[in-house]
Each structure stands twice: as structure tokens, then as C-alpha cells.
Amino acid sequence: MPDASTRNMGKTFGASGPMRMALWIGGLWLALLVGAALHLGAKRTVDDDARRRFDSIAQGARQRLDGAVQSYAQVVRNMAGLFNANGGEVSRLQFHRYVASLGVADNFPAIESLNYGVHVLDAQRDAFVAAVRADRSLDPRGYPDFDIQPPGRRPSYLVLSYLEPMLAPRLGIDMIADRPAVARRLEEARDRAELVASGRPLQFKAPHAVLAMTLRFPVYRGGAVPDSVEGRRAAYLGSVGIGFSIPTLVQRALDGMGPHPVALQLYLAKQEQLAAGQKLTVTPADTLLYGSDVEQAPASQVPHDAREAFETVLPVRFQNNLWKVRFVADRAALIDGFGFWFPWLAFGGGFGATLLIYGLFLKLYWSRRQALEQRVLLDLVLDNVDAYVYMKDGERRFRYVNAKMAEAAGMPAEQMVGRRDSEVLPAARADAVWELDRPVLETGQGRSVQNEMRLPDGSVRQLWSVKVPVRADGEVVALLCVSTDVTDLHQLKARADAASQAKTDFLSNMSHEIRTPMNSIIGMSYLALKQAAEPRQRDYLQKIHHSAQHLLGIINHILDFSKIEAGRVELELLDFTLDALMHNLANQLGEAAAARGLTLEFEIAPELRRPLRGDPLRLEQVLLNFTSNAIKFSEQGAVLVRVRAVRTLGSDTLVRFEVRDRGIGIAPDELPQLFAPFHQADPSTTRRYGGTGLGLVISKQLAELMGGEVGVESVPGQGSTFWFTARLGTPPDGAAAQRAASLALAVDTPGSPARPGALAGSSILLVEDNAFNQQVARELLEDAGAGVVVAGNGSEALALMRAREEGAAFDCVLMDVQMPVMDGFEATRRIRLDPLLKDTRVIAMTANAGLEDQARCLAAGMDEFVTKPVAPEILVATVARALGRSVQHPPLPAAPPAPAQLPALLDLEVLSDTFGGNPDKMRKYAFMFLETAREGLLEIDRALAAGEVERAAGVAHRIKSSARTVGAMGFGEVCADLENQRNHGSVAQARSLAARLRALLARLERHIAAELGARQQDQKA
């Protein structure tokens, strides 16, 4: 396969040499074309921008020029308004003052002269001349030399009478003398009462040479414009006007525009009107009025290259005259530095970008080609892997399947990709597979599961599936599943499980067969001891009773070892006190210690004299083993049981229990094997002291179940100290817990004697098929004050219960499990279905001591569970507890409850203290707990799907202690709530709690990953 890969890679790159050269040449030409196109486009853009700038300057100049002309025309109208306001009569002094108020030099700098021309008939000439000469309103000397110029008599005159500024040579000039065209234009303005401009520019020589034009407006007698032409001619007094410099007008109008490269020429059009659609141009017949940066020459003589210059001609209306403003600018002058370089930059950018994009395209093309070849190679590898491989997204669509998976689905791989699983597989099978896939997509954590697959030929294969998330940009987008066929391993495991089950069944049957006669022996010896008075007879009976108890202990050790080895022992968390625990220990072993001349001493640290939460029965079991061994191997002195706190683990405490003796001690070379199964330090001890060698290994396993460990320190001839640690919690209500713990230990402990008459007045139905057991149980219960009725099987029991009247119903039923005719399970189920009997308390009494047996009893509806052979005090205490009675002294008064605290999601302090702060162990066991919890939740889901709340509660109980060990306190509390649904909970409530567990597990997975690092690190460790 590596050779094939190499050949494929060589083919890819070998074939690409000549082709790449041709493609690169084509790319170079493409880049040149794109760069040239961008250069032309950029150049056009720069030209358009320059043209817009040119047009903007031209339009601005035309508007400013037009505004200046209009403002000067308004000056003339305002002077006419002065005369109209005074009835047509204004003195020379008034005219002078008005002109002075205009601020001509500042506001109208182009005005060369403001004047008033008086219309004089020939008959009025002499009087008019005399009046002007005598006028001293402005000049005290008057105007003695005034006369109308040119001399000679004419029918009428238009004489410049008022001049500002005063120009003596022009005073008295007749403006229409020998000027028929001017006279005609002024007469038209008179008849129309409108402003008139001079038709041709005038060349003034004084006070300085200037090219000028004039504006005049007629003035009428009375101040108002007559309505008719005849009236206007009759009332015509003359006209006011101005003469202004054309160059100054243009220059001052353009001063506000700032510097610019546009040259301007002003022409007086030959034609005052343009024909419709005629383009405005400068013709040789037009008169040049003003030119900037251009010789004052005819327009046809102004050189320019149309390709390198911009030109436009715009109109300006000067009253009844048309002015043409011609704008010319060099194209290069309107383009800034960036505009010059922009086309070349566009060319370079286009050329480079095209070449770069083309190169990237080629790279992607070859990469894609290589990827396709690698994909073919990968498909080849995966298709030949002996595993079922697929990838599926969140919409349940297959994104990849290998050939083996496609063959199993009975469909080509090409048709499977892109389809939903429900479109490829049967609906039930697709949903079952999705239930296994979905947690990986939801939590982002990989998992390993065992599932089965039905092939198209009908055969069923067992698969071990590893499912991992596929991430893109930090998000889980799909999952990859690799399933290996483990059918053969599954069959081997099934045979091993069957063997283990057979072993369990054998132990259960052996337990039943051995415990049934043991129950008779212990019970009969107990009853005989109560009646025997002769010393020798009592000695015989005591030895029988002691030997039976010893044999029962051996049986219990063997069963405990088998259950622990099979992982079937679970802790039961109860509230208790160490004082009560030590009291029970003293009650059970005090006489044995005294018989050997030993004293039994107890030492409890002050901080531990408070209520605790744990499994007091298992603690007592280990302490009984250690202490009984200390008594057995000691000849003198004292046996000290010491309890002290090691450290705090969150809300829990790691407690150390020590049992010290002054006995024979143990050789150092024997210490490492001391806790091995069936091992004793010295074979001679078996002959001298007895024992099976199982007590210490059971103690070791129980201590580890309680989150601790065991050890020993010993010196031969001086004694030994056996110790173990256990993790104990704190109950939420200290005083109430103390009361409950004291009661529980006092009632359940074999060493607690029941008070005579503890069951006085109670009516009990004993259901037992064994005659010896009937006699033993009956006498024990009657000795405690109960009234007992015996039934031989479940059918008889039901008949007796139904025969009783309502007021005389049995208070409690002691129900054997294995009986002929009708066993205890069926009888209990029928009791629970009978409306009149369903509230009766039922206590299971069986020789089967396994957890499965206890679970079956509780599932059938029984309230309590005792194992045969049962100690008399335990039997009485269990019945009393079922009836709500106490067999001990009244409890202490309750203290106010302590405030409750919400459990932590993950208490890192607890996790750290549990594993000594070792980060590798913390990570390892935290992820191990997650795996256990995931499997447990799947088992809970299967149980709830079948409506089996009890089984789900049992699983919750199993994973609860693991959760608390790693500090997942909140998860453990919800497990405890689900466990409490065992007896009277509903399926709906249990499903709600299971959903909370799934949500908490998802949060725990993210939190543990964030706090402790990636899972791969743990796996590598």
C-alpha cells in the first residue's frame, strides 16, 4: 500500500511539469490583459474626474460672473428708485450723498462712474444750462463753464448732469449726439421702462484707459411709471446709469474661487438669440471683452489640442445682450499626482493580483487533485479494514461509510451518503443506534459501547463501537464510529457470565441449604439454654451454640468474599455515632475478652463524637474481625480500639480505625501477604487458633469500598496494630441523625438484647414450611410477648388473613420465601393486590443472603428482610421496627436542624483529598467515574423503558457512592433521590430524575475536562 501511495503521488507531480508551464504562460497573458483593462478604466476615471473638476470650476465662474452682473444692474435700479421716491426730482447734493452711501470702492469696485443724464428739449436748453451753472448745492463756485457738448442745436439732448466721481471733461456731454444707435436703444428703454445695456464696449481713456460697458434705466416725472408709451414719453425726465470696467468686474467676481488652472475669455455675442438646438460656440464675429492667460485675439486663433485640453462655452445674460464665457484648461493641469500614478498603479495591482489569484487557483487545483487521490487511497484503506466505519452529523445523515458498513446495510456506499439513518436502516434499529450516537454529539465526549447489528442475511453480530466527536472551528459537527466485530468475545463473556451466575446460584443454594439447619441449631440451642439449669447440660448447650455461631461466621465469610469478588456488595449509607458503634462492639466481644483475661478499651477523638454518615454495619464487620483477631492472638494486657480523624475531604472526613494488641505479633516477611485470600502468617495458627484466612481480605475489600485502605504494624512478641481508614460523611440534621443512628444500631446489632415484652400485644402470622424453624421462630416471638399464628405456605397464609375479622387483623407477617404450594413472593404480591390486606407489614425471612434475593423480596412488595439463621435479638428488633416500636431507651431530644447547603457540582477538594492530591490519579478516577456513570445511566434508561423503577433505583444506589468519592456531590444527591423511588416512586418521577442525572453528567464532563485536562492525557497515563 505505501508503494501505491508513492506511485499516486509521483503521477500527480510528474504529469504536471509541462502542463504547469503552459498554464503559467496563459496566466501571465491573462494578468497583462487584466492590468491593461484596469489601466484604461483607471485612466478614464481620472479623465472623468478632471472633466468634472473643470465643469465645476466653469459653472462656478459663470454663476459668480452672472451674480456680479445682476448686482451691478441692481445698483442702477436702486438709483432709479431714488428718483422715483422723490417724484423724479433729486438734487445734485442728494445724488452725491446717495452714491457716497453705496460704498462703491468696496462693494462695487468695477464701477467707474455713476451718473444721471437729463432729457432736455431744444426749447429748454438755455434755461437748463443757466440752472446748472448756478447750482452751488455741491460746489460753492457752481459750474460757470458748463455747456452741452458737442455744441450745436438739436431737437433734444440727453445731458450728463450728475457725475460721481466728478469728471469735468464729461460733464455736459450729450450721450445721443451723433449716435443714432445709442439714441434708438435709449428710446426703446424709455418706452418699455426697462434696463438697457450698451450694445458695444466703450473704451474710456480718463481717468485711465479701461474697456467698459454701461447700464441705464429711465426716470419719469412724478416717480411712477406711466401705463402708456405716450405717457412715458411725456413724463420722461432722463436716465440714471453706471459705467463699469469689464476686466475689473470679471476679476473681482473670480477672486473668491482661489487659484485654478482654467483660463477664461468673455465675448459679446454677435447674435443675441440662439436657434433651437444650436450649440453655443465662439465665432469670429463675436467681440472679445476679456481674456485671462490668453492673448486678446479672436477665438479661432487660441491654440489648443482637444485631446490634451478641456473647453466649454457657457452663456451669461447681460440684460438684452448675450455674453459667451469660454473656459479652457490643460488636462494635465487638472490631474493631481495620485491621478497621474493611479492608472499605472491599477495596471500593476491588476497584473499582480491576477497573477496571485491565478497562482492560488493553480495551487488549489493541484491540492484538490492531490486530496482526491489521497481520498481514494484512504477509501481503499478503510474499505479493507475489518471494521464497520461511518460518520454521521447532527441531522442523522451519513457523511461517510466504508464498504463493510455499506455491505451490512445492504446498500451501495454512494447511495447511503447524504441519507438519514432512518432511510437506510429499519426505523427501530436506526433509533436504537441514534440513542447511542446522540450523547457523543450532545456532550462532545467520546464513548465506547457494545451493541448488536443484524446483517442482511439475518445473522446478529456483537460489535464493540468506539464513537468520537468530529470538530470543526471548535464545534462538534459530526461523530465518527468504528465498530469491531466482537461476537466471539461476546460469546466467551456470556459463558463466563453464565459460569459466574452458576457460581452465584450455587452459593445462594448452598446458603439456603446450610442456613436452614443452622437456623434450627442456633434457635433450639438458644431456647434450650433458657430452660437448662444443670451446669453440665448448660455447658454442652453453650458449646453447641458457640460452635454453630462459629460455623455461621465461616459461612458468612465465604459468602461475603464471593460477593465482594463478584462486585455485588454495595454500601448502605446510614446516620450513626461512633459511641453507639463501640458500644455494640463491646457487647459482642466484651465477654470473649474477659474470658481470656483481657480488657477491651476504646478511645474516640473528641471531634468525632458527633453524628456521622456511612455504612455502620460494614464498619462494625471490619472492627469485629480486627478486634476478634486481637483477642484471639493475645494472652494478656488490653486490646485498644482507637478512632481519630486523618483529614477533611470537603464535607466528609477520612477516619482512621486502629486495633492494637499485645499478642504474639507477626514476622516482617509475612506482612506483605497478610491480606491475600486464604493466607495466614503461620500455618500453625490455624491448628491452634482456627480461622479461614478470609477475614482480613474481606476487611481490606470493605475498607476500599468505603474509600479507604488497610494496613498493619507488628513486632513479633510485642503485638500488632491493625488499622483501616474509611470516608464518612456528615448528616444534614445532626441531632436527628444521632437519634436515628442510635436507634438503628441498637436495633440491628446482634449484640443488643431485646427487652422482654418488646412485641407485647402484637399479632404475628408466621409463614414457614420447616417445622423446626416454625418452632424456633414461634418461641422467640412469643418470648418477646407476641401472639403467633403459623401457616405452612403462602396459600394457607392468605386463607388465615382473609378469615380474620377486620378488627383482629394480623399486625405483621413473617414470610419465608421458598415454600411448596405457594412461595413467599406470590403470596406477598397477592397481599398487595387485596384492598383489605395491602397495608399489612410483610417481612421476608429467607436463607438466601444474596443482593439479588433481597432485591426480589423488595420488588415483590415486602417491607423488611432478615436472613436465616437469624439471631433472636435481630428478629425481635426487625419486627419491632416494622411495627413502629422501639426496643431501646427513648432517644435524646432533637436539636434545631442545621441549615441545608446545596451540594457542589464537583468538589475538587474532596477529589484531591481522596487521592492524596495526585493529579494523575485525580484525572484517572474522575474519568473512570464518568465512564461508570454513563454506563449506569444507559442501564437506568433501559430499566425505566421497561417500567422497572426498582432496578433503576438499584443502579442509582451503585453509582451514588462513586459520585461522592470523586466529589460529584450534586450528582450523588440526585442518585439518592432516584434510589428513594424504589418502593413507592412513579416511573414518571424516576424518568425526571434520570433526565436530571443526564444533564448533570453533561455538565460534569465539561467541568472535569476544563479542570483536569483532556481525556487523552488520562488514557496515556
Side-chain angles (χ1 to χ4, degrees), residues 257-453:
M257 295 182 62
H260 57 80
V262 180
L264 178 149
Q265 293 174 321
L266 182 63
Y267 291 88
L268 177 62
K270 178 67 174 178
Q271 296 178 347
E272 297 182 358
Q273 300 294 334
L274 293 176
Q278 181 181 355
K279 181 180 179 182
L280 190 63
T281 60
V282 176
T283 65
D286 296 332
T287 303
L288 178 66
L289 300 179
Y290 173 81
S292 62
D293 299 333
V294 180
E295 293 291 338
Q296 295 189 8
S300 58
Q301 299 180 12
V302 179
H304 66 273
D305 187 346
R307 294 173 301 175
E308 298 298 331
F310 297 121
E311 178 181 353
T312 187
V313 179
L314 300 177
V316 173
R317 280 290 171 184
F318 181 63
Q319 293 310 113
N320 51 346
N321 295 330
L322 175 62
W323 287 358
K324 297 179 182 179
V325 187
R326 178 172 178 257
F327 298 93
V328 179
D330 185 27
R331 172 184 172 278
L334 290 169
I335 298 175
D336 56 13
F338 178 75
F340 175 78
W341 290 107
F342 179 61
W344 295 106
L345 290 175
F347 174 82
F351 178 83
T354 302
L355 208 57
L356 177 62
I357 295 173
Y358 189 80
L360 291 175
F361 171 79
L362 283 181
K363 183 176 179 61
L364 290 175
Y365 169 75
W366 292 114
S367 298
R368 176 66 175 170
R369 181 171 174 177
Q370 182 181 354
L372 288 175
E373 293 182 356
Q374 292 297 320
R375 172 65 181 271
V376 172
L377 179 62
L378 180 61
D379 287 345
L380 182 64
V381 172
L382 292 178
D383 287 343
N384 286 276
V385 169
D386 188 18
Y388 303 91
V389 183
Y390 69 84
M391 186 165 66
K392 190 188 297 182
D393 63 16
E395 296 181 355
R396 303 177 63 170
R397 296 184 185 276
F398 288 104
R399 294 304 179 189
Y400 174 80
V401 292
N402 71 340
K404 193 174 183 66
M405 182 65 191
E407 181 183 0
M411 181 182 296
E414 295 79 8
Q415 297 181 17
M416 286 184 64
V417 173
R419 291 191 176 187
R420 295 179 182 271
D421 52 8
S422 57
E423 299 172 0
V424 175
L425 306 174
R429 179 182 164 193
D431 292 340
V433 174
W434 177 246
E435 288 302 316
L436 300 176
D437 293 340
R438 182 174 58 187
V440 178
L441 292 169
E442 291 178 349
T443 65
Q445 293 290 333
R447 61 182 310 197
S448 301
V449 297
Q450 183 175 339
N451 59 299
E452 64 179 32
M453 172 185 288

Side-chain angles (χ1 to χ4, degrees), residues 791-818:
N793 55 59
S795 180
E796 292 179 10
L798 290 173
L800 288 172
M801 294 178 71
R802 290 166 179 162
R804 287 236 170 177
E805 297 180 0
E806 185 176 349
F810 292 107
D811 296 314
C812 180
V813 178
L814 272 173
M815 183 76 71
D816 190 16
V817 173
Q818 295 183 3

